[in-house]
Amino acid sequence: MDPLNRNFLLADDDADDASLFCEALTGIVPGTECHTVENGLELIALLSQHKTAKPDIIFLDINMPIMDGWECLRKLKDNDSYNTIPTIMYSTSSAKKDIDMAYRLGAVLFVTKPEDFNELSTILKIMAFNSQESFSNRLKGFKSVKVN
């Protein structure tokens, strides 16, 4: 899969985490777009207003103000325009209840935010260069990735 001109969208209210995410992504895959919003409501508004190209992958933090990741995931999966976009929960949580909820609501992957920048870069590189089916299998060995 050609990662050039791919579009990643992250909803995360932690500016430092969002900055590291985009730095890791654009550092390993030049030409990839990394868009960030601070909450689920901003993500839904961005998509519905067509201010960016339809994302190839959406990442949602769980705990955000205004609209959290769970409510945003529900809205994405209930919308025919967005329900096929691979959506990944991206959180500091590693609780089984959160992982189970993510898959029950339609997330394709659950990633606990890696503490190591190199691990984050490697995870994003695998996602950028592979289809959803392939990256899920390739990420099974990573401590921070919980594959259903």
Side-chain angles (χ1 to χ4, degrees), residues 3-16:
L4 297 179
N5 301 317
R6 296 199 68 205
N7 186 3
F8 285 54
L9 177 56
L10 168 68
D12 193 333
D13 63 319
D14 186 313
D16 290 336

PDB file of all heavy atoms in Angstrom, residues 3-16:
ATOM      1  N   PRO A   3       1.745   4.744   1.089  1.00  0.00           N
ATOM      2  CA  PRO A   3       1.325   5.617   2.170  1.00  0.00           C
ATOM      3  C   PRO A   3       1.285   7.090   1.794  1.00  0.00           C
ATOM      4  O   PRO A   3       0.762   7.898   2.535  1.00  0.00           O
ATOM      5  CB  PRO A   3       2.400   5.389   3.233  1.00  0.00           C
ATOM      6  CG  PRO A   3       3.612   5.087   2.435  1.00  0.00           C
ATOM      7  CD  PRO A   3       3.119   4.310   1.238  1.00  0.00           C
ATOM      8  N   LEU A   4       1.853   7.451   0.658  1.00  0.00           N
ATOM      9  CA  LEU A   4       1.891   8.853   0.299  1.00  0.00           C
ATOM     10  C   LEU A   4       0.488   9.399   0.123  1.00  0.00           C
ATOM     11  O   LEU A   4      -0.390   8.746  -0.425  1.00  0.00           O
ATOM     12  CB  LEU A   4       2.722   9.061  -0.965  1.00  0.00           C
ATOM     13  CG  LEU A   4       4.197   8.682  -0.826  1.00  0.00           C
ATOM     14  CD1 LEU A   4       4.921   8.889  -2.128  1.00  0.00           C
ATOM     15  CD2 LEU A   4       4.864   9.457   0.295  1.00  0.00           C
ATOM     16  N   ASN A   5       0.307  10.605   0.605  1.00  0.00           N
ATOM     17  CA  ASN A   5      -0.973  11.294   0.523  1.00  0.00           C
ATOM     18  C   ASN A   5      -2.072  10.626   1.342  1.00  0.00           C
ATOM     19  O   ASN A   5      -3.247  10.843   1.083  1.00  0.00           O
ATOM     20  CB  ASN A   5      -1.417  11.465  -0.938  1.00  0.00           C
ATOM     21  CG  ASN A   5      -0.406  12.242  -1.740  1.00  0.00           C
ATOM     22  OD1 ASN A   5       0.133  13.240  -1.271  1.00  0.00           O
ATOM     23  ND2 ASN A   5      -0.113  11.768  -2.919  1.00  0.00           N
ATOM     24  N   ARG A   6      -1.687   9.810   2.310  1.00  0.00           N
ATOM     25  CA  ARG A   6      -2.683   9.240   3.214  1.00  0.00           C
ATOM     26  C   ARG A   6      -3.029  10.291   4.248  1.00  0.00           C
ATOM     27  O   ARG A   6      -2.260  11.184   4.552  1.00  0.00           O
ATOM     28  CB  ARG A   6      -2.160   7.969   3.869  1.00  0.00           C
ATOM     29  CG  ARG A   6      -1.935   6.919   2.766  1.00  0.00           C
ATOM     30  CD  ARG A   6      -1.859   5.522   3.211  1.00  0.00           C
ATOM     31  NE  ARG A   6      -3.134   5.050   3.713  1.00  0.00           N
ATOM     32  CZ  ARG A   6      -3.221   4.054   4.583  1.00  0.00           C
ATOM     33  NH1 ARG A   6      -2.151   3.457   5.030  1.00  0.00           N
ATOM     34  NH2 ARG A   6      -4.391   3.648   5.001  1.00  0.00           N
ATOM     35  N   ASN A   7      -4.194  10.154   4.813  1.00  0.00           N
ATOM     36  CA  ASN A   7      -4.736  11.156   5.715  1.00  0.00           C
ATOM     37  C   ASN A   7      -5.102  10.501   7.047  1.00  0.00           C
ATOM     38  O   ASN A   7      -5.982   9.644   7.080  1.00  0.00           O
ATOM     39  CB  ASN A   7      -5.953  11.784   5.037  1.00  0.00           C
ATOM     40  CG  ASN A   7      -6.533  12.946   5.790  1.00  0.00           C
ATOM     41  OD1 ASN A   7      -6.028  13.367   6.820  1.00  0.00           O
ATOM     42  ND2 ASN A   7      -7.625  13.465   5.267  1.00  0.00           N
ATOM     43  N   PHE A   8      -4.417  10.894   8.120  1.00  0.00           N
ATOM     44  CA  PHE A   8      -4.696  10.388   9.463  1.00  0.00           C
ATOM     45  C   PHE A   8      -5.366  11.506  10.264  1.00  0.00           C
ATOM     46  O   PHE A   8      -4.962  12.665  10.168  1.00  0.00           O
ATOM     47  CB  PHE A   8      -3.410   9.984  10.175  1.00  0.00           C
ATOM     48  CG  PHE A   8      -2.813   8.690   9.699  1.00  0.00           C
ATOM     49  CD1 PHE A   8      -2.518   8.458   8.364  1.00  0.00           C
ATOM     50  CD2 PHE A   8      -2.530   7.684  10.607  1.00  0.00           C
ATOM     51  CE1 PHE A   8      -1.957   7.272   7.939  1.00  0.00           C
ATOM     52  CE2 PHE A   8      -1.961   6.483  10.203  1.00  0.00           C
ATOM     53  CZ  PHE A   8      -1.678   6.281   8.865  1.00  0.00           C
ATOM     54  N   LEU A   9      -6.356  11.154  11.070  1.00  0.00           N
ATOM     55  CA  LEU A   9      -7.074  12.126  11.890  1.00  0.00           C
ATOM     56  C   LEU A   9      -7.063  11.641  13.329  1.00  0.00           C
ATOM     57  O   LEU A   9      -7.463  10.505  13.607  1.00  0.00           O
ATOM     58  CB  LEU A   9      -8.500  12.291  11.369  1.00  0.00           C
ATOM     59  CG  LEU A   9      -9.440  13.218  12.129  1.00  0.00           C
ATOM     60  CD1 LEU A   9      -8.859  14.622  12.273  1.00  0.00           C
ATOM     61  CD2 LEU A   9     -10.795  13.272  11.417  1.00  0.00           C
ATOM     62  N   LEU A  10      -6.595  12.489  14.235  1.00  0.00           N
ATOM     63  CA  LEU A  10      -6.501  12.165  15.654  1.00  0.00           C
ATOM     64  C   LEU A  10      -7.353  13.121  16.461  1.00  0.00           C
ATOM     65  O   LEU A  10      -7.226  14.340  16.313  1.00  0.00           O
ATOM     66  CB  LEU A  10      -5.034  12.276  16.120  1.00  0.00           C
ATOM     67  CG  LEU A  10      -4.781  12.241  17.629  1.00  0.00           C
ATOM     68  CD1 LEU A  10      -5.106  10.874  18.218  1.00  0.00           C
ATOM     69  CD2 LEU A  10      -3.338  12.633  17.938  1.00  0.00           C
ATOM     70  N   ALA A  11      -8.201  12.573  17.329  1.00  0.00           N
ATOM     71  CA  ALA A  11      -8.935  13.377  18.308  1.00  0.00           C
ATOM     72  C   ALA A  11      -8.307  13.107  19.668  1.00  0.00           C
ATOM     73  O   ALA A  11      -8.379  11.987  20.183  1.00  0.00           O
ATOM     74  CB  ALA A  11     -10.415  13.005  18.319  1.00  0.00           C
ATOM     75  N   ASP A  12      -7.666  14.132  20.227  1.00  0.00           N
ATOM     76  CA  ASP A  12      -6.981  14.001  21.510  1.00  0.00           C
ATOM     77  C   ASP A  12      -6.841  15.388  22.121  1.00  0.00           C
ATOM     78  O   ASP A  12      -6.322  16.294  21.471  1.00  0.00           O
ATOM     79  CB  ASP A  12      -5.601  13.368  21.304  1.00  0.00           C
ATOM     80  CG  ASP A  12      -4.945  12.918  22.591  1.00  0.00           C
ATOM     81  OD1 ASP A  12      -5.230  13.487  23.665  1.00  0.00           O
ATOM     82  OD2 ASP A  12      -4.122  11.992  22.528  1.00  0.00           O
ATOM     83  N   ASP A  13      -7.286  15.554  23.345  1.00  0.00           N
ATOM     84  CA  ASP A  13      -7.234  16.863  23.984  1.00  0.00           C
ATOM     85  C   ASP A  13      -5.872  17.178  24.601  1.00  0.00           C
ATOM     86  O   ASP A  13      -5.646  18.290  25.050  1.00  0.00           O
ATOM     87  CB  ASP A  13      -8.327  16.996  25.045  1.00  0.00           C
ATOM     88  CG  ASP A  13      -8.164  16.007  26.187  1.00  0.00           C
ATOM     89  OD1 ASP A  13      -7.828  14.837  25.922  1.00  0.00           O
ATOM     90  OD2 ASP A  13      -8.388  16.389  27.354  1.00  0.00           O
ATOM     91  N   ASP A  14      -4.960  16.223  24.596  1.00  0.00           N
ATOM     92  CA  ASP A  14      -3.619  16.453  25.127  1.00  0.00           C
ATOM     93  C   ASP A  14      -2.729  16.937  23.982  1.00  0.00           C
ATOM     94  O   ASP A  14      -2.348  16.166  23.100  1.00  0.00           O
ATOM     95  CB  ASP A  14      -3.059  15.164  25.736  1.00  0.00           C
ATOM     96  CG  ASP A  14      -1.732  15.360  26.429  1.00  0.00           C
ATOM     97  OD1 ASP A  14      -0.833  16.007  25.835  1.00  0.00           O
ATOM     98  OD2 ASP A  14      -1.579  14.853  27.545  1.00  0.00           O
ATOM     99  N   ALA A  15      -2.405  18.227  24.009  1.00  0.00           N
ATOM    100  CA  ALA A  15      -1.644  18.838  22.912  1.00  0.00           C
ATOM    101  C   ALA A  15      -0.276  18.186  22.731  1.00  0.00           C
ATOM    102  O   ALA A  15       0.192  18.023  21.601  1.00  0.00           O
ATOM    103  CB  ALA A  15      -1.491  20.337  23.150  1.00  0.00           C
ATOM    104  N   ASP A  16       0.371  17.813  23.835  1.00  0.00           N
ATOM    105  CA  ASP A  16       1.688  17.172  23.728  1.00  0.00           C
ATOM    106  C   ASP A  16       1.583  15.816  23.043  1.00  0.00           C
ATOM    107  O   ASP A  16       2.404  15.481  22.181  1.00  0.00           O
ATOM    108  CB  ASP A  16       2.333  17.007  25.116  1.00  0.00           C
ATOM    109  CG  ASP A  16       2.754  18.330  25.724  1.00  0.00           C
ATOM    110  OD1 ASP A  16       2.975  19.299  24.965  1.00  0.00           O
ATOM    111  OD2 ASP A  16       2.851  18.403  26.963  1.00  0.00           O
TER     112      ASP A  16
END
